[in-house]
Amino acid sequence: MNRAECYTHTRNYGCRLRRYLWNGVEMLSLENQKVKVVLALGKGADIVEFVHKATDTDFMWHSFNELKNIRHIPTVAPSAGNFLDSYAGGWQELFPTYGGRADYHGAEIGIHGEACLYPWDCTVLEDTPDCVEVLLTLRTIRSPFLLEKRASLRWNDP
């Protein structure tokens, strides 16, 4: 994560960004008066919360595994990969493969690809009370891709 550009903001009104650690995982929340969306930057940039604030309803599914920073490298990887070691629910980027393990042009890729396992970089594009927008990027390791995704919220827009 680009720590110089993704930060905790003190604004507590309008659209806002917050960066924080949860169980050792770097997180980013985007919030307006209608919704709060939380991304696990330190683990695949998964959407781990999508809360409708008026009803306090979280639309993301949560696994029995708690989201945490996996600080160990297993001595033996499961044949399908390490996806389930850190699966806490939410919404993942399944790329460059999905489903079971695969051979991607000679590179072994585990279950659901590699983008959902790595930390993503974050650059703030806009941070005003009317709009927050971030650019998230990841260069994959076993496959030759640079992924980008944008997340934004506007005031009074669900």
Side-chain angles (χ1 to χ4, degrees), residues 7-151:
Y7 53 91
T8 300
H9 202 306
T10 58
R11 184 173 58 247
N12 200 28
Y13 61 89
C15 295
R16 53 198 171 270
L17 298 171
R18 295 230 191 315
R19 187 181 65 94
Y20 58 95
L21 289 177
W22 178 262
N23 288 344
V25 179
E26 293 188 82
M27 310 293 284
L28 177 71
S29 70
L30 295 87
E31 187 172 356
N32 66 16
Q33 85 278 23
K34 297 199 182 267
V35 296
K36 177 180 178 183
V37 179
V38 178
L39 305 167
L41 293 178
K43 192 239 163 251
D46 298 356
I47 300 174
V48 295
E49 287 183 45
F50 197 112
V51 177
H52 177 251
K53 291 169 70 171
T55 60
D56 201 24
T57 304
D58 186 352
F59 289 95
M60 288 293 102
W61 180 79
H62 298 272
S63 167
F64 55 88
N65 287 331
E66 187 174 13
L67 180 65
K68 60 185 172 254
N69 187 356
I70 303 295
R71 295 174 188 235
H72 74 281
I73 296 173
T75 57
V76 176
S79 62
N82 294 320
F83 177 81
L84 292 175
D85 289 348
S86 61
Y87 180 58
W91 186 350
Q92 291 76 37
E93 297 293 333
L94 306 182
F95 187 85
T97 61
Y98 68 94
R101 63 186 290 248
D103 180 301
Y104 182 81
H105 297 282
E108 263 189 278
I109 308 278
I111 184 173
H112 295 326
E114 59 180 326
C116 58
L117 298 174
Y118 304 138
W120 286 57
D121 290 324
C122 176
T123 302
V124 175
L125 301 176
E126 185 171 351
D127 183 8
T128 68
D130 293 324
C131 179
V132 290
E133 183 175 16
V134 294
L135 174 66
L136 307 175
T137 58
L138 170 71
R139 182 163 301 281
T140 54
I141 294 172
R142 292 188 177 201
S143 55
F145 296 102
L146 173 63
L147 304 178
E148 293 185 349
K149 63 181 175 177
R150 289 176 185 241

